[in-house]
Amino acid sequence: MEKLMALYNIASPSGREGKMAGFIIGELRRMGIPYREDRRGNIYAVKGNRKSYPCVVAHMDEVHRRKTGSYAAHLVADSMIVGYDHKRKRMAGIGADDKNGIWICLKCLEDFKAVKCAFFVQEEVGCIGSGHADMSFFSDCRFVIQCDRKGNGDMVTQINGMRLCSNEFISAVDFQKYGYKPAQGLATDVAALKRNGLEVSCVNLSCGYYEPHTENEYTIMADLYKCYRFVRHIICRHKETSPHMPETERNPFPGYYELFGPAGYGEKSYIRLSKKYKSEFTTKNKTSHENEL
């Protein structure tokens, strides 16, 4: 709990993830886990020495830009965490998207003898960190799990029409036992890794945060713990690599920031407005990709 609250009290807006990166590096050093950073600021950690590894990833940035020093996260009734700005006397977003995912990564590094974790910058402004990830890091990964989905029951297996994992992986993880179901999701780091050529199964899991990207964001502790139990289950159950070849993303949409900027917004608005922007963004994305080539 102490570590989770510490994460919530660190400001890490996109492009200014330095304090969060410092906290993560401090934890890795405390645990004696080797790590490295790339020129973008992504952090890659490897614990143990194995032929293959389970891999869990998260992003370090958040959408919130707090302007006062009177913000703090608070535990309510031993079950729920909220943020409150005492100077302005109003709720404040806690950045559980994706600090919950960071917490799960750090827990995995503590609890397992062999695991890989990657922490990406600037997911909220278009998956910039993961879009430029060092893909060699994932060459010996069995699968990749991200915990960056609101709620408590979605196992995202498709993003914008692009499949993330094999049917065999879906069948093997026993998702019903943990109250999860396959779902379609929005752009996040695992989709960027797939576009980069990731050749193993990956999923994005609900991890207990609600009303993301708004000042009313909160975490239900029981749902966060349930997500971690599911992640542990997958890691313990899957000892073999789960191959899955990347495919073309059918309808690549921009992230929340590209549509709305850094103000508060929700997924319903994103889905509604994505239809309006879909054609324009697809054309821009194709042109941009051709220019990169």
Side-chain angles (χ1 to χ4, degrees):
M1 177 66 71
E2 181 179 346
K3 188 178 300 181
L4 182 63
M5 297 298 282
L7 289 169
Y8 289 150
N9 285 315
I10 296 172
S12 57
S14 298
R16 291 186 287 168
E17 298 93 339
K19 291 182 179 179
M20 181 60 70
F23 180 87
I24 292 169
I25 288 171
E27 288 296 303
L28 296 175
R29 288 175 175 170
R30 180 184 64 80
M31 292 185 280
I33 295 172
Y35 70 92
R36 62 182 174 85
E37 294 180 84
D38 65 19
R39 64 185 183 89
R40 294 277 174 175
N42 300 317
I43 300 171
Y44 306 90
V46 184
K47 183 179 180 181
N49 185 10
R50 300 289 190 275
K51 291 183 178 180
S52 67
Y53 297 84
C55 182
V56 188
V57 304
H59 65 84
M60 293 186 280
D61 62 323
E62 61 177 316
V63 301
H64 307 291
R65 282 169 159 77
R66 305 183 194 98
K67 295 183 179 180
T68 73
S70 58
Y71 158 86
H74 298 273
L75 178 65
V76 179
D78 291 326
S79 63
M80 176 181 178
I81 297 177
V82 301
Y84 191 74
D85 187 324
H86 293 269
K87 183 176 181 179
R88 298 183 178 182
K89 297 182 179 180
R90 66 185 188 187
M91 300 289 288
I94 57 178
D97 172 8
D98 188 30
K99 294 172 185 177
N100 287 9
I102 295 173
W103 180 81
I104 288 174
C105 285
L106 294 176
K107 284 286 291 179
C108 288
L109 288 166
E110 282 186 344
D111 294 350
F112 289 97
K113 293 182 179 180
V115 65
K116 281 190 169 188
C117 288
F119 304 88
F120 298 116
V121 298
Q122 295 182 282
E123 186 267 356
E124 300 288 3
V125 291
C127 298
I128 293 174
S130 53
H132 294 85
D134 178 1
M135 295 305 295
S136 66
F137 178 79
F138 303 96
S139 63
D140 54 1
C141 292
R142 302 171 199 161
F143 50 80
V144 178
I145 301 172
Q146 183 163 13
C147 302
D148 183 27
R149 176 75 171 176
K150 71 175 185 177
N152 67 358
D154 288 346
M155 181 176 74
V156 175
T157 59
Q158 292 189 49
I159 291 179
N160 299 336
M162 176 177 64
R163 291 181 58 85
L164 301 177
C165 58
S166 66
N167 291 330
E168 291 77 12
F169 183 84
I170 295 173
S171 299
V173 297
D174 198 16
F175 56 87
Q176 300 97 329
K177 179 179 178 181
Y178 291 85
Y180 280 79
K181 63 183 184 303
Q184 297 196 41
L186 305 175
T188 192
D189 295 311
V190 286
L193 296 178
K194 271 297 179 185
R195 289 195 296 269
N196 289 349
L198 182 69
E199 296 184 354
V200 294
S201 292
C202 55
V203 289
N204 183 24
L205 302 180
S206 293
C207 57
Y209 62 73
Y210 296 83
E211 298 194 41
H213 297 193
T214 74
E215 297 305 329
N216 296 319
E217 184 184 32
Y218 62 95
T219 288
I220 299 297
M221 294 303 301
D223 295 341
L224 174 58
Y225 291 148
K226 185 182 84 164
C227 178
Y228 181 58
R229 290 195 301 272
F230 187 32
V231 171
R232 283 184 57 89
H233 167 78
I234 296 173
I235 291 175
C236 293
R237 187 182 183 96
H238 267 274
K239 302 299 183 183
E240 302 296 327
T241 299
S242 177
H244 180 259
M245 296 302 295
E247 58 187 43
T248 302
E249 191 172 15
R250 297 176 188 174
N251 301 313
F253 293 151
Y256 285 103
Y257 256 118
E258 284 112 316
L259 286 182
F260 297 98
Y265 36 76
E267 185 170 329
K268 289 183 180 179
S269 297
Y270 175 82
I271 293 172
R272 174 173 56 83
L273 290 179
S274 65
K275 296 178 181 179
K276 173 182 176 182
Y277 284 84
K278 172 182 171 183
S279 177
E280 177 185 353
F281 178 77
T282 302
T283 301
K284 289 181 179 179
N285 189 67
K286 181 178 179 181
T287 303
S288 174
H289 180 66
E290 289 173 347
N291 290 339
E292 290 179 359
L293 295 177

